[in-house]
Amino acid sequence: MGRLSLLSVKIAPPMAAGMLLAFLFGDVASVISIAVLIFVTVFLVSKRNTLCICTISAVFGIASMLVWIKSVALPVARISGETVTTEIEVTDVTLTRDGVRLMVAHGKINGIDVIMGLVCSDILEEGQRVIATIDVTEPVKNDMVFVLSNGILLEGEITEFIPVSSGGRRVSRAIKALRRGLFNDFLSSGSGDSQMLMQSMLLGIDNGLSASLEDNMRVCGALHYTAVSGAHFAILSAALLEMVSEDRRRVKSVFSLVLAFSGILFFGPTKSVIRASTMFFIGGLAGFFKRRADTLNSLCVTIILITVFRPQNILDVGFAMSVMGVFGAGVVGPKLADRLMMRIPERAEWLNLPVRAMTISISAVLCTAPLSAAIFGGVSMLGAVVTLILAPLMVAAMVSMAAAAVTGLWVFTVPIEWSMRIAAATIRFFGKWRLMYINMDSVGSWLFPLACAVLISIAAFGRIRLFKPMIRCTVISLLCSLVIAQEMIFNRHEIRFVGDYVTSAAVIMRGSTAAVYISGGGGGLADDISQCLRAHGAVNVVCIAAPNADYSGSLALRELSEMVKIDVIYANELTEKLLPELPVVAAPEADMLVVGNLSVGSATVSDVETAVDIVLYRGRMLNPPQTPARLAVYFLPDEAEIPENGVNICADKDFKVDLPAF
């Protein structure tokens, strides 16, 4: 219990909990904080110091978040619906399927520093500064993961802009150019999946990942490796520090301090990288004072430093996943492994290393599982096994990359390429096990993973006599979670919709199987359909109807077939010729899909004659006409008026049709 009595451990968790409480419940938290203050006063009198520190920390967390909401978030939110002109700097650019550029930009509005998610049909590059005229809107609630991860308070469309200069964050652009140059010089020799992984896993250049490879990485729990984060920094720094002898502690401490700053410069100032850098900095300082750095203490101090003046940082998804991953792998896992090894006889000491490695990996997965379930709607049961395989490959590849960059010798690119080939084969192999991705999109489903995380933490730090009961309860909770998740999938009979006004799809799910109807050409829909299937527990597509599939749509069908098993595809002769390896049946007259008593079809937005049960409309129109369909499905980016029997998926991405009720 000594580690749990540290001052930082008493402050950080309740402070973070208070910030989240204030963000989730707003003004209600003010009343709670007043009640807490009363209790603090009572306990101050009774001299219960630990509880006093915890409650004061929680009150501070509540107060700081409320101040940020009142002084920043709400004033900025009131700008929604207005047109503003301000100078912005573009920090990130992504090209969407329909050619629109989605970007993150920094700027000032009414004197407040604001991060905005913007779209623009013109060409803007990372690092460019412009004076832009922006039609401002509130962030779409369905994209809250994207919004919170980037600190975005407003969204909008750039209607006009005037370039100011190519200045801005020169250091940031120089580092990105360095990473690009490093790839071009040493990492461009691979091909296919291995080259994609070199870009994404080593340098965080993830815009080159194919949809099928990205899907496989999601299924096997390896997608977090594609974002340059604290994991990259920790792996490379730990490997480099191992080269310094333990006897030279001051040299090692100086090296840690240098790595702490250089890591931020090279990998970028993301919250998870700053978290890892701060922990390394604290570890370096510990060496100067002849003390051993404690992971839990360093983690809690880091949380305090990152959130005390910027409470909104606690909302960053990457930061939260990073913190819980370190807590699981660096705090709970080693302690749990020590207690497990006490129960292994001496003659089986050879089990020490594999048991410790698996325990740490499982602990990391269990501690991050509540966040994965609550935010992403699912948890990969393969994450622990895949991490055990990929982690040493990452170490070998990143150390070789550093050696290649320093020496300029091509010989160091050989272990990089082979490491990434093995990693690609591993991801492809485990990525086919879609049943091992447990869907948890129902309300409250994250409670069971949370219970597992709490129970395993008690098993690690509680009294030794609680170890066995807590482990048993963890297993029972895990099994209950799996049973409930599978039962929810088995009873799921619903239709979801994905796409845009150019091409879209209706995904009809019955249990773990699905049928898909594609409206329009189908280009670029593979990833959207696969995500919909995975997010809601469907692992097999019994049929796809794509009567109007064009060349790009046929390629999308091929890509989808690499992610999920497809029994039959009803399409046109073009698709049949382009995809001879797939079970394509030429049926151009099949302009609708009939499942049971339900019919699904498509039409242009001005069509008033198509009379199937559900119609997916293509095109844009400010006021679509009345339709004879029971349900008219539109994908209109504008706030258009739609018929009473219609729904705009762009405004309600979580819309679904419950088949029994329909």
Side-chain angles (χ1 to χ4, degrees), residues 343-660:
R343 288 162 171 76
I344 295 179
E346 291 185 5
R347 61 177 179 273
E349 284 187 358
W350 60 273
L351 290 173
N352 191 346
L353 183 60
V355 168
R356 182 172 293 275
M358 182 57 74
T359 301
I360 290 174
S361 187
I362 291 174
S363 299
V365 171
L366 288 179
C367 288
T368 56
L371 287 173
S372 297
I375 297 171
F376 304 111
V379 177
S380 173
M381 300 299 292
L382 298 168
V385 176
V386 172
T387 296
L388 285 178
I389 300 173
L390 294 185
L393 296 174
M394 281 279 290
V395 172
M398 294 196 74
V399 172
S400 299
M401 181 182 69
V406 172
T407 65
L409 297 177
W410 279 90
V411 67
F412 290 109
T413 64
V414 176
I416 299 175
E417 184 173 349
W418 278 101
S419 296
M420 292 299 98
R421 285 186 180 182
I422 298 172
T426 301
I427 290 168
R428 285 297 190 188
F429 176 74
F430 287 105
K432 301 300 181 185
W433 299 14
R434 295 180 72 91
L435 282 171
M436 298 301 290
Y437 185 87
I438 307 303
N439 167 257
M440 292 184 176
D441 64 329
S442 56
V443 177
S445 58
W446 55 272
L447 291 173
F448 281 102
L450 178 62
C452 291
V454 172
L455 290 169
I456 201 172
S457 299
I458 296 174
F461 293 101
R463 297 183 182 277
I464 195 68
R465 60 185 175 81
L466 294 176
F467 180 77
K468 283 187 177 179
M470 291 300 101
I471 293 296
R472 292 194 186 102
C473 290
T474 301
V475 173
I476 292 172
S477 181
L478 181 61
L479 291 175
C480 289
S481 178
L482 296 177
V483 170
I484 292 174
Q486 292 303 313
E487 184 67 18
M488 294 291 294
I489 293 172
F490 181 78
N491 293 322
R492 176 171 285 136
H493 295 162
E494 64 187 33
I495 306 177
R496 299 272 180 169
F497 304 94
V498 297
D500 54 32
Y501 65 89
V502 177
T503 182
S504 58
V507 183
I508 307 164
M509 290 173 281
R510 290 182 179 272
S512 61
T513 62
V516 179
Y517 179 84
I518 295 178
S519 169
L525 283 178
D527 194 35
D528 291 340
I529 295 173
S530 176
Q531 285 188 33
C532 182
L533 295 171
R534 183 184 59 253
H536 300 98
V539 298
N540 182 41
V541 177
V542 293
C543 73
I544 293 179
N548 301 309
D550 53 20
Y551 180 81
S552 60
S554 300
L555 296 182
L557 289 173
R558 173 183 289 160
E559 200 166 26
L560 182 61
S561 70
E562 296 174 357
M563 307 181 206
V564 62
K565 183 178 179 295
I566 302 174
D567 292 344
V568 63
I569 299 173
Y570 296 104
N572 48 40
E573 293 181 356
L574 173 64
T575 302
E576 186 181 31
K577 291 179 180 178
L578 291 173
L579 307 176
E581 73 279 10
L582 297 182
V584 180
V585 176
E589 70 283 354
D591 56 354
M592 71 175 68
L593 176 65
V594 179
V595 179
N597 297 322
L598 180 72
S599 58
V600 181
S602 66
T604 59
V605 74
S606 59
D607 190 308
V608 295
E609 297 180 357
T610 303
V612 295
D613 292 321
I614 299 177
V615 179
L616 277 63
Y617 284 98
R618 306 187 302 275
R620 301 175 69 170
M621 183 177 289
L622 188 59
N623 296 305
Q626 291 294 327
T627 169
R630 290 177 61 190
L631 176 65
V633 180
Y634 301 93
F635 297 82
L636 302 173
D638 305 316
E639 296 183 3
E641 294 184 13
I642 58 176
E644 292 183 359
N645 60 334
V647 61
N648 184 6
I649 301 301
C650 289
D652 186 6
K653 293 183 180 179
D654 286 333
F655 176 81
K656 66 178 181 179
V657 174
D658 187 40
L659 288 176

Side-chain angles (χ1 to χ4, degrees), residues 86-99:
T86 185
E87 182 176 325
I88 62 172
E89 180 182 348
V90 179
T91 57
D92 188 43
V93 179
T94 303
L95 190 65
T96 62
R97 180 176 60 245
D98 52 358

Side-chain angles (χ1 to χ4, degrees), residues 301-344:
V301 171
T302 301
I303 294 172
I304 295 169
L305 293 175
I306 291 177
T307 61
V308 66
F309 297 114
R310 294 181 63 85
Q312 66 269 31
N313 287 343
I314 201 70
L315 306 175
D316 187 282
V317 177
F319 175 66
M321 292 289 288
S322 176
V323 167
M324 295 308 298
V326 172
F327 179 72
V331 179
V332 174
K335 185 68 175 177
L336 203 62
D338 290 340
R339 293 193 167 185
L340 281 173
M341 294 309 301
M342 293 170 57
R343 288 162 171 76
I344 295 179

Side-chain angles (χ1 to χ4, degrees), residues 35-47:
V36 171
L37 279 172
I38 296 173
F39 279 108
V40 169
T41 304
V42 173
F43 285 119
L44 278 173
V45 174
S46 61
K47 297 182 179 180

Side-chain angles (χ1 to χ4, degrees), residues 154-169:
L154 290 175
E155 291 185 345
E157 181 178 1
I158 298 177
T159 55
E160 298 179 21
F161 69 87
I162 302 173
V164 176
S165 69
S166 58
R169 305 176 184 231

